[in-house]
Amino acid sequence: MGADQTRCFHCGDTCGASPLVYDHHPFCCQGCQTVYQILQEHNLCQYYTLSAQPGQKQASAVSPQFAYLDAPEMVDRLAVLRDPRSTTVVFRIPAIHCSSCIWLLEHVHRLHPGIGHAEVNFPRREVTVTYLHDQVRLSEVVSLLHKIGYSPQLNLDSADPAAHTSGAVDRKLLYKLGVAGFCFGNIMLLSFPDYLDTGAVQQQYQRLFNILNIVLGLPVFFYSGWDYVRSSWLGIRQRRFVIDQPLALGMVAMLGISLWEIGAGIGPGYLDSMAGLIFFLLLGRFFQAKTYAALAFDRDYKAYFPLSVLRKDAAGLSHPTLVSHLKPGDTIVVRNQEVVPTDGIVLSPYGGEVDYSFATGEQDPVPVKKGEMLYAGGRVQGTAIELSVLKATQQSHLTRLWNHPAFQKTYQAGHSQRLDRISKYFTIGILTIAGSAAAFWAPVDIHTALYAFTSVLVVACPCALAISTPFVFGHITRILGRNGLYLKHSAVVERLALVDTVVFDKTGTLTKPQARQLRFTASEGVMTDEMLGAVAAVAKQSTHPLSRMIASQLKGYRTHAPEMVQEVPGKGVAGVVLGKEVLLGRADFARPAGVVPVSEGSCVHVAIDGAYKGSFELEPEYREGIALLHPAQTRLDTHILSGDAAAEEMVLRKWFGPVPMHFKQTPEDKLAYVEALLRARRQVGMLGDGLNDAGALRAASVGIAVSDNAAMFTPAADAILEGKAMARLPRMLKMAKASLGIVQACTVLSLLYNCVGVFFAVQGELSPILAAVLMPASSIAVVTLSTVLSYRKARQLGLSPGNTLAEPAVIPA
């Protein structure tokens, strides 16, 4: 092999006459050699074993200056999550194109000890990077990415990258579409003599017109259609089949034969068909982009995800407020176990502690003092913290936290995995059919052979097959969200559809957050107003439903901020108010040994400074429409777990019948119960609150946190259900199950289109231009069918957006 044919070991480009040689490998430039040296120094040369020449060509070994990114306002704009030790940023990197890119970017932490974690979102061409403040600056992170060939596309208009990808169509696509349309129209005009067979005029000007057609056709191929060719070539280099290869092959075939026919003077070629093919392909891509942007399921549930927080008004009273309504200067109260929704300054005189483990993995709570900065994404531990809001919150920060890798579950994929396998072999099958059609027609008519070959490559498209599942699940996600069930991501729909067993917690799930009746029974002495105020102060710090009931009942008593609060899930809450220790919770938590409790059942026991004072007895109020949760209606195996005593068993039997019920269950007991059902190969849906049931929610096939006023943000859950929507749950489960049938209908439509299209194409009866029109039309048809069937089923189940919360007596089939 000559020196001019030597390929760069890093990027695969031709090295020229004088390649650089390092470690016995040739490189086309100093930049590629530098990247290899970096990878070699950090034992990352496995990158080159994933595929041949996987890298990006380096224009220069010298990185541009990114010092401006270290300015605090720049970091604030780009950061999606921050805490005292680390910052998380999301970069859009267009150069991501293969598995090698993903592998290298997700191992970039090995290139610098200050980078803690990196995760690639391949469809969006984005990488999420978490780095440590004290070890690396943002400018260094960006410089490192630039140096290894993955320069971020920085957009400082917003901290939310999705904001720039959801509504706008790529301007380059519009330019390419314009060039293809202009050239296609003029090629058609210059080809009219051939279409009409005008005799003398055709003979006099045919040569000139054909040359002009070449002049117009080349920019269509090399500019407007080049993305298809480049994508196909990259696939060949990576030794894999991609969807663009049949299209690129058809384009190359039409251009090559056209140049040969015109050069030999034996015909006008197929430049009109090639230009028309590229124009309609781009037009279809444009309409698909507009359609996808209009529906934009990927993270758009953040627009209606109803996370709220307590905001203080001018009178000092707290009211639930959506985080999207917060403004700089607002005072908010974040209670124990609640997530801080936005950056703010601590106002509480005693400060508090914040757990950043959700965002950073660090398990130890971080103490914060009055006047210190508190970052979004931390979870308050113990005493509630008052904050002064520094900036309007981006809910995408919290939805990113909800989808943090720490809270992802691994499940066997269903429809998505099967369709991925089909799409993988689709290209191979289409190439085989196209080649066979061309071989069949070539001895009979070379023009028919070319038309059959090209039309098969163009008309057969796995796009419609690939988009059926995400679009259906996206529609279902939106419908469920509008009815009060908010899913972490659309993949939860399929798991929800497979649920055959449902487990309910009682308190705060089947019951309302307020009690029908609350009565205090004293054990000894009298509870003074000061004591009741101390109890109220501690109860206000907790997000447990029973604590909220007590705080609501005692809201008329004067309270003081606790010096300390500690909540023990499944047990109770302890606090210190004006030097007095207050315990609220179960009998074994608040009652000293040897003291007989004054009551059992749904009650909260109270002890002050070690002396047992009695208990609050609660008569729970069950949610409306609870009868619709009966197994006869849901057709699901139903179980009920409760941390209370069995005092309410007879009431629950009236609603649920002879289902398994277990009482005095600790969080560990609930987790073990769910795990036992899973071992029995059941698909378990667990409904509970976000505090006591976090372990069971995370272990279940689908964990649903039930929330009133959406005050509890629970990353361990797969979904959050508004309490007032509980009676709609059976219908929403039916909606999820119906999604599998809708996916199958869309899949059948896509396969039918491909079979019919290929049937006519192999006979040479379908022109490449018409095939190019039909290809995007198939995707649009699938999108339309998924929309119509999804919303039709929603109307049948009474889940359409215009419905009120009035519940029917019988669930529609």
Side-chain angles (χ1 to χ4, degrees), residues 371-409:
E372 288 188 358
M373 178 84 167
L374 195 56
Y375 296 101
R379 169 166 279 184
V380 171
Q381 296 279 17
T383 309
I385 297 177
E386 284 191 13
L387 295 175
S388 176
V389 175
L390 287 181
K391 60 182 179 180
T393 186
Q394 296 272 352
Q395 284 204 172
S396 58
H397 293 200
L398 295 172
T399 50
R400 284 183 186 277
L401 179 62
W402 201 12
N403 284 273
H404 192 277
F407 304 106
Q408 298 305 308
K409 299 178 181 180

Side-chain angles (χ1 to χ4, degrees), residues 411-427 462 464-470 473 491 493-495 497-498 736-737 739-745 747-748 750-751:
Y411 296 92
Q412 294 181 348
H415 285 75
S416 300
Q417 189 180 62
R418 288 192 292 270
L419 290 177
D420 286 345
R421 286 199 297 266
I422 293 174
S423 299
K424 178 180 178 181
Y425 297 106
F426 191 94
T427 301
L465 193 65
I467 68 175
S468 59
T469 297
F473 288 169
V493 174
E494 185 171 2
R495 303 205 298 268
L498 299 176
K737 293 181 184 298
S739 67
L740 302 184
I742 297 173
V743 168
Q744 292 172 356
T747 303
V748 169
S750 176
L751 293 175

Side-chain angles (χ1 to χ4, degrees), residues 164-355:
H164 309 290
T165 58
S166 61
V169 176
D170 187 1
R171 190 178 295 273
K172 290 183 179 179
L173 174 60
L174 296 177
Y175 292 155
K176 293 177 180 180
L177 181 61
V179 170
F182 172 80
C183 295
F184 173 50
N186 283 278
I187 291 174
M188 291 280 288
L189 183 63
L190 295 172
S191 300
F192 261 97
D194 291 309
Y195 299 154
L196 303 178
D197 193 14
T198 54
V201 175
Q202 179 183 5
Q203 295 176 1
Q204 183 178 1
Y205 294 103
Q206 183 177 21
R207 186 71 178 173
L208 174 62
F209 288 168
N210 287 341
I211 293 174
L212 291 175
N213 282 344
I214 292 177
V215 173
L216 292 168
L218 291 178
V220 175
F221 181 87
F222 287 102
Y223 177 67
S224 298
W226 189 247
D227 285 345
Y228 295 99
V229 178
R230 182 175 57 185
S231 173
S232 302
W233 175 243
L234 287 174
I236 293 172
R237 280 178 49 188
Q238 305 301 330
R239 299 177 183 177
R240 59 188 175 88
F241 289 99
V242 296
I243 186 176
D244 290 339
Q245 285 169 347
L247 302 175
L249 187 57
M251 290 159 49
V252 170
M254 285 189 285
L255 178 64
I257 293 177
S258 298
L259 294 176
W260 174 68
E261 285 193 357
I262 293 173
I266 60 175
Y270 303 93
L271 292 172
D272 53 346
S273 296
M274 183 203 72
L277 167 64
I278 295 174
F279 172 73
F280 284 110
L281 286 175
L282 293 174
L283 188 63
R285 179 180 289 184
F286 171 80
F287 282 115
Q288 285 177 346
K290 295 294 287 185
T291 303
Y292 298 166
L295 296 174
F297 303 118
D298 189 20
R299 289 292 180 267
D300 274 3
Y301 61 81
K302 68 190 178 190
Y304 53 82
F305 178 63
L307 185 66
S308 67
V309 69
L310 292 177
R311 179 173 63 181
K312 282 193 169 184
D313 58 20
L317 300 178
S318 300
H319 306 279
T321 302
L322 291 176
V323 294
S324 56
H325 294 170
L326 294 179
K327 303 184 298 296
D330 285 348
T331 299
I332 61 174
V333 179
V334 187
R335 296 170 297 183
N336 181 45
Q337 296 298 315
E338 289 184 340
V339 171
V340 178
T342 185
D343 296 349
I345 299 296
V346 177
L347 300 179
S348 301
Y350 297 106
E353 291 189 335
V354 180
D355 175 15

Side-chain angles (χ1 to χ4, degrees), residues 257 260-261 266-270 441-442 444-454 764 768:
I257 293 177
W260 174 68
E261 285 193 357
I266 60 175
Y270 303 93
W441 285 108
V444 180
D445 183 358
I446 190 64
H447 294 282
T448 302
L450 177 63
Y451 261 50
F453 178 74
T454 307

Side-chain angles (χ1 to χ4, degrees), residues 410-556:
T410 55
Y411 296 92
Q412 294 181 348
H415 285 75
S416 300
Q417 189 180 62
R418 288 192 292 270
L419 290 177
D420 286 345
R421 286 199 297 266
I422 293 174
S423 299
K424 178 180 178 181
Y425 297 106
F426 191 94
T427 301
I428 302 175
I430 291 304
L431 289 173
T432 303
I433 294 174
S436 301
F440 175 82
W441 285 108
V444 180
D445 183 358
I446 190 64
H447 294 282
T448 302
L450 177 63
Y451 261 50
F453 178 74
T454 307
S455 297
V456 169
L457 294 177
V458 174
V459 76
C461 177
C463 292
L465 193 65
I467 68 175
S468 59
T469 297
F471 262 82
V472 171
F473 288 169
H475 281 304
I476 303 303
T477 300
R478 175 171 291 182
I479 291 168
L480 297 181
R482 287 174 175 171
N483 284 274
L485 178 61
Y486 307 96
L487 306 185
K488 178 181 287 190
H489 46 70
S490 58
V492 177
V493 174
E494 185 171 2
R495 303 205 298 268
L496 195 62
L498 299 176
V499 166
D500 55 25
T501 302
V502 62
V503 179
F504 291 101
D505 175 48
K506 181 181 77 73
T507 305
T509 302
L510 299 176
T511 63
K512 291 183 176 181
Q514 67 274 10
R516 179 177 298 152
Q517 184 178 5
L518 180 65
R519 181 179 66 256
F520 182 76
T521 302
S523 172
E524 60 180 42
V526 178
M527 285 282 283
T528 65
D529 289 352
E530 182 182 354
M531 292 180 178
L532 290 172
V535 170
V538 173
K540 285 169 61 177
Q541 306 295 314
S542 173
T543 54
H544 191 278
L546 297 181
S547 297
R548 296 206 303 269
M549 293 178 194
I550 295 173
S552 177
Q553 183 77 11
L554 301 179
K555 61 184 179 182

